[in-house]
Amino acid sequence: MSRVIHVLTGCTAVGKTELALRWAEARGAEIVSCDSLLFYRGADIGTAKPTRAEQARVPHHLIDVCPVTARMDVTQYVTLARAAIDGILARGRAVLVTGGSGFYLKAFIAPVADEVAVPAALREEIRSRLEIAGLTALVDELRKLNPAGLGALDVQNPRRVVRALERCRASGRTLADLQAAFDALPAPFADCRVELCELVRDPAELDERIAARVGAMLKAGLVDEVRGLLAAGLRENPSAAGAIGYRETIDFLEGRLPESELAAAIVKNTRGLVRKQRTWFKTQLPEH
């Protein structure tokens, strides 16, 4: 039997969860999450995580796999997704990957991580230098290591500059050489045929769905959920703490945002995320 991975993606609040459940039920499939926040135990309401009843309808994978203090990266994700997908296919069942997190989604269509190992000591040295000497010093060092130029690197983005310098220092290679080697890598799931589908809605309808979902989250206890996650160490994971829904609620709990403005802030930022997602899907997804 051929190895096929069905992938359903789309913007936040577009309706992926219910469609995925119906499709999986009709075809005897199991669902593998491709959402960067569903990994975390206890982050339920703010992530619109499938409910226990929904998860009981169809077997789900890669949900609640780590505490909110842990950081997930794409390399870990690929390892976990590969194990889940291999198991599903071995059972003779269909695979449905669903989610809208672009970086993790890209693992099914292209290489996502190179093979450069950065020693912890080097990483600490560069980050300490960023704090002491500033971003300009790191960019200057990068330019010396890359006399042919820095390509499309965003030199105003500290995280990307740090990552680029780490990789150049650790490998002894230029960014251009590293990019060429990366482009030659196979996609993590190159041995599978990926059938990709994007769910879309009229923008005005999606705006209404976002507002309704935010209202439902707050009514369901989002504030109490965030209060509990903060006690569990949410701040140790900047990616989770900075996620839309959580960061605004933290601002409210810490007195930086009035309660009367909380819902509107989450709605506004979610709509901004959706605009970015639409651009990403348009420019990064293959024909689908």
Side-chain angles (χ1 to χ4, degrees):
M1 185 174 68
S2 62
R3 294 171 61 84
V4 180
I5 299 175
H6 301 275
V7 178
L8 173 66
T9 192
C11 296
T12 294
V14 76
K16 297 184 294 295
T17 298
E18 180 57 29
L19 180 58
L21 287 167
R22 286 164 36 204
W23 191 95
E25 286 174 325
R27 291 163 178 81
E30 299 185 24
I31 293 174
V32 177
S33 175
C34 185
D35 186 298
S36 64
L37 294 173
L38 299 194
F39 307 133
Y40 302 116
R41 292 189 288 273
D44 302 330
I45 298 170
T47 64
K49 185 178 292 179
T51 64
R52 291 185 179 181
E54 289 171 330
Q55 293 185 50
R57 288 168 57 183
V58 172
H60 283 67
H61 303 268
L62 273 61
I63 293 178
D64 292 336
V65 295
C66 58
V68 74
T69 52
R71 298 190 191 189
M72 179 70 72
D73 61 36
V74 72
T75 301
Q76 292 174 280
Y77 176 76
V78 167
T79 299
L80 293 171
R82 166 61 73 176
I85 289 168
D86 285 348
I88 296 167
L89 293 174
R91 291 189 289 276
R93 294 170 66 84
V95 175
L96 176 60
V97 173
T98 185
S101 297
F103 196 46
Y104 295 96
L105 176 64
K106 199 164 187 178
F108 295 95
I109 55 179
V112 289
D114 60 30
E115 300 171 346
V116 177
V118 180
L122 175 60
R123 182 174 286 116
E124 181 57 33
E125 174 200 329
I126 292 174
R127 296 192 180 179
S128 176
R129 189 166 171 224
L130 174 65
E131 293 179 5
I132 296 170
L135 182 61
T136 300
L138 269 59
V139 173
D140 288 344
E141 183 177 356
L142 259 181
R143 294 192 190 281
K144 292 177 182 177
L145 296 173
N146 293 269
L150 302 181
L153 179 69
D154 181 0
V155 296
Q156 301 301 317
N157 186 316
R159 187 174 67 174
R160 293 185 181 179
V161 170
V162 165
R163 178 64 179 144
L165 186 54
E166 288 175 348
R167 292 166 69 237
C168 287
R169 290 271 304 275
S171 66
R173 304 170 72 180
T174 66
L175 289 176
D177 288 343
L178 289 167
Q179 185 63 49
F182 175 79
D183 291 340
L185 291 172
F189 296 93
D191 60 326
C192 300
R193 188 175 85 251
V194 176
E195 299 286 350
L196 176 63
C197 177
E198 180 189 355
L199 179 61
V200 298
R201 287 184 187 269
D202 177 80
E205 181 186 6
L206 188 55
D207 280 350
E208 293 176 1
R209 290 174 61 89
I210 289 169
R213 186 163 86 164
V214 171
M217 285 177 172
L218 290 167
K219 187 175 181 181
L222 176 61
V223 172
D224 286 339
E225 174 173 287
V226 175
R227 190 179 284 116
L229 289 172
L230 286 169
L234 177 62
R235 286 190 186 84
E236 296 175 33
N237 186 342
S239 294
I244 294 171
Y246 290 110
R247 68 178 187 236
E248 297 87 355
T249 306
I250 291 171
D251 284 345
F252 158 61
L253 289 172
E254 296 182 347
R256 293 185 295 274
L257 182 69
E259 184 175 14
S260 60
E261 297 177 15
L262 177 57
I266 299 174
V267 168
K268 177 183 177 182
N269 291 335
T270 303
R271 288 172 176 166
L273 170 63
V274 164
R275 287 192 293 272
K276 292 179 181 177
Q277 288 177 317
R278 286 198 185 104
T279 299
W280 194 93
F281 293 145
K282 184 177 180 180
T283 60
Q284 299 295 317
L285 292 182
E287 186 175 347
H288 59 283

